[in-house]
């Protein structure tokens, strides 16, 4: 019936061979479409199973690294590398199963790789920066850092293949490129276990400096988070225009720094008020000249 329709509806200039080819194509089309559909479904199943296997491998690597007490940043970096690399390999294998020549695919990937390398120099720089961070360890996950270019600061929560994530004190996530971090100054406040606090407090020139120093030293002695075994003192730092500036210095454990600092500042103000020691503030005297 299909051949009859072709003979009735085709161009009279077509030869019988052309008509035969067309009719054979139409006859084989359902079978080919079915075969292609089955291959697509199988490819989807393989892709899904491959993702599950990649996820299983990532979990195994993560557990192995956790048993060896490996740095958390290294574990996160390797996890990112395994996820991206094996997913790309899985897609390549599926593409080859659809008839793409492996040698041609590799040659094409080489050309595409060169093009991407030129187009994505920043991303490659970030990847190299991530490797340098993991090797040199200017910071690790859990450290509180400030980067030098824009002054972004926070606690490091993740070191990925291309980016590092910080959590700020107000619980905002900042994502910074590894290339920028590797090439800028990094201030690490938690590289050591303790942190020094220096706050300046001005008292009036009429106040008794010795009494003020004793009062503020008593505040440091009464704060339990201040490390008693390390140096703590109060001294005159500057004779400013409107105040005698005292420096209050002590040490805290890193985890106690912010709470301890806030407690010491509040206690200093209350102690000075209780002892009638005034804290001056800048003033301006304006003299009006009468005319005539």
């Amino acid at each position: 019936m299909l051949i009859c329709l072709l003979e009735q509806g085709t161009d009279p200039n077509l030869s019988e061979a052309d008509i035969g080819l067309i009719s054979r194509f139409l006859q084989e089309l359902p079978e080919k479409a079915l075969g292609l559909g089955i291959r697509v479904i199988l490819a989807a199943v393989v892709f899904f199973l491959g993702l599950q296997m990649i996820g299983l491998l990532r979990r195994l690597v993560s557990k192995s690294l956790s048993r060896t007490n490996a740095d958390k940043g290294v574990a996160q970096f390797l996890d990112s590398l395994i996820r991206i690399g094996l997913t790309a390999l899985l897609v390549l294998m599926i593409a080859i199963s659809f008839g793409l020549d492996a040698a041609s695919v590799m040659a094409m990937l080489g050309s595409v790789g060169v093009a991407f390398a030129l187009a994505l120099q920043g991303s490659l720089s970030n990847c190299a920066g991530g490797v340098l961070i993991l090797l040199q360890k200017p910071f690790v996950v859990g450290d509180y850092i400030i980067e030098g270019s824009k002054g972004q600061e926070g606690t490091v929560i993740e070191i990925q293949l291309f980016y590092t994530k910080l959590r700020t004190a107000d619980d905002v996530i900042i994502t910074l490129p590894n290339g920028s971090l590797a090439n800028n100054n990094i201030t690490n406040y938690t590289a050591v276990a303790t942190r020094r606090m220096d706050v300046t407090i001005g008292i009036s020139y009429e106040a008794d400096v010795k009494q003020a120093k004793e009062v503020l030293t008593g505040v440091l002695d009464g704060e339990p988070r201040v490390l008693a075994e390390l140096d703590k003192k109060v001294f005159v730092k500057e004779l400013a225009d409107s105040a005698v500036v005292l420096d209050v210095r002590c040490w805290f454990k890193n985890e106690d720094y912010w709470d301890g600092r806030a407690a010491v500042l509040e206690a200093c103000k209350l102690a000075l008020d209780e002892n009638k020691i005034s804290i001056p503030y800048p003033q301006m005297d304006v003299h009006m000249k009468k005319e005539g």
Side-chain angles (χ1 to χ4, degrees):
M1 179 179 178
L2 182 59
I3 296 175
C4 292
L5 289 174
L6 285 171
E7 291 177 347
Q8 293 175 4
T10 53
D11 191 334
N13 294 325
L14 289 175
S15 65
E16 292 183 2
D18 294 332
I19 294 175
L21 289 173
I22 296 174
S23 78
R24 194 180 318 116
F25 171 78
L26 293 176
Q27 287 174 350
E28 295 175 354
L29 182 60
E31 182 181 352
K32 290 182 176 180
L34 178 61
L36 180 61
I38 292 174
R39 292 177 66 184
V40 170
I41 293 174
L42 288 176
V45 172
V46 169
F47 184 72
F48 175 76
L49 293 177
L51 290 181
Q52 299 303 312
M53 294 294 293
I54 292 172
L56 177 61
L57 179 62
R58 289 170 62 192
R59 288 191 291 272
L60 289 175
V61 172
S62 177
K63 289 181 180 179
S64 299
L65 291 174
S66 64
R67 292 193 195 100
T68 59
N69 295 322
D71 181 71
K72 190 174 181 181
V74 174
Q76 292 172 346
F77 187 87
L78 286 177
D79 179 72
S80 180
L81 187 62
I82 290 172
R83 175 174 55 84
I84 295 174
L86 291 185
T87 302
L89 181 61
L90 176 62
V91 172
L92 177 61
M93 292 173 61
I94 293 174
I96 292 175
S97 71
F98 273 85
L100 293 177
D101 181 61
S104 301
V105 171
M106 296 305 296
M108 180 184 67
L109 287 178
S111 301
V112 172
V114 173
F116 269 95
L118 295 175
L120 303 177
Q121 293 182 14
S123 296
L124 294 176
S125 173
N126 291 337
C127 182
V131 173
L132 288 175
I133 289 171
L134 292 175
L135 291 177
Q136 298 179 351
K137 293 188 177 181
F139 57 84
V140 296
V141 173
D143 284 352
Y144 189 92
I145 66 170
I146 299 179
E147 59 89 23
S149 61
K150 295 183 180 179
Q152 302 280 9
E153 62 181 282
T155 302
V156 180
I157 59 172
E158 193 172 350
I159 303 174
Q160 297 181 343
L161 185 61
F162 299 105
Y163 298 96
T164 292
K165 292 184 178 180
L166 307 181
R167 175 180 279 118
T168 64
D170 54 349
D171 215 21
V172 174
I173 303 300
I174 301 176
T175 302
L176 300 174
N178 288 335
S180 174
L181 288 175
N183 293 313
N184 278 301
N185 297 328
I186 298 293
T187 303
N188 191 333
Y189 284 101
T190 49
V192 293
T194 57
R195 183 173 174 182
R196 194 180 80 182
M197 181 201 78
D198 280 273
V199 295
T200 56
I201 299 175
I203 62 172
S204 67
Y205 274 94
E206 289 77 17
D208 188 332
V209 174
K210 290 184 178 180
Q211 180 191 12
K213 290 173 63 177
E214 291 175 358
V215 168
L216 296 177
T217 301
V219 170
L220 297 181
D221 292 335
E223 172 54 50
R225 282 166 289 204
V226 173
L227 297 176
E229 65 273 17
L230 296 179
D231 181 37
K232 56 180 178 180
K233 58 183 177 180
V234 179
F235 57 92
V236 176
K237 182 179 181 180
E238 182 184 0
L239 299 177
D241 293 338
S242 58
V244 177
V245 180
L246 302 179
D247 191 305
V248 181
R249 176 177 295 176
C250 64
W251 294 81
F252 295 101
K253 292 181 180 179
N254 267 313
E255 59 269 23
D256 294 335
Y257 178 80
W258 292 109
D259 290 339
R261 184 178 188 276
V264 166
L265 282 174
E266 181 178 350
C268 286
K269 176 65 169 68
L270 294 175
L272 292 174
D273 290 346
E274 185 179 348
N275 288 273
K276 303 296 189 293
I277 300 174
S278 63
I279 301 176
Y281 51 87
Q283 301 183 34
M284 178 180 294
D285 294 330
V286 179
H287 300 277
M288 302 294 294
K289 182 179 180 180
K290 293 183 179 180
E291 296 182 358

